[in-house]
Amino acid sequence: ENAKKAISLEPSNSDVNNLYGYVLTLAGEHKKAIPVFEKAISLDPIPPFWYLIQLGVAYYWTGQNEEARVAFKRAVERSPGISDSHALLGCVLISLGEPGEALVEFDKALSLNREPPAWCNGSRAVALVEIGKPEEAITTMQDLISRQPDDADGYRFFSKVLRLEGKHEDALQMAKKAVGLRSGHYDNFELGMAYFMLEQYDQAIPQFKKSIQLKPDYLAPHLGLAAAYSLASLM
């Protein structure tokens, strides 16, 4: 409500529009945020990189990966020395099926920040699995959780790496640890996927629902929930 009031007072202020978009994304309303971010960018002839990152994240959450790639690339071009811009571009490249290119971006992010957030190293590990280096990916995640034992992202990404390698029981244990630490939308989604791969659809369904409740515009749990309902009905 405060952000809306600010917009009513200064509708042509790019910072106010960007802040309103950011508030919407924090509330899980990424679809509504996208046109607000686009307006903020249109109002600033040289938009700062964080405008572009926030737009890219909103596109990414709603499954608009090509649009997210464009936004993150613009962010990298605007400020090439920002680690997160490269890491986020790497994330969307994985979603687009380009793990080799993603790895280049993650390595650039690591060169700019030797202690990046766990999601950066975790996403890099996913890219390693997808280019055929699962042992390196698993070693990376083992090292990460040993250094950051209280970071839910480490366990969440370790679960995904193990799931991609078909180690579903181990993936389930890692996902449970992630949810035990935080129980965020991504954590519940990964736990849902671990149950799903073990064909425990009745366990997967409430996890996907929880993820959707926390982030209604996050596309992946909607797909997971639909698949779980479909397969559960056949059993």
Side-chain angles (χ1 to χ4, degrees), residues 68-86:
R69 184 215 297 257
V70 172
F72 290 140
K73 275 195 169 183
R74 287 183 66 192
V76 166
E77 291 165 0
R78 177 74 64 211
S79 297
I82 302 298
S83 174
D84 281 0
S85 299
H86 292 279

Side-chain angles (χ1 to χ4, degrees), residues 21 33 42 54-55 103 112 114 135 153 162 183 210 226 231:
S42 72
Q54 289 166 354
L55 175 61
L103 199 59
L112 293 167
R114 302 308 301 175
E135 296 85 1
D153 281 331
L162 292 166
S183 192
K210 180 69 176 294
L231 291 170

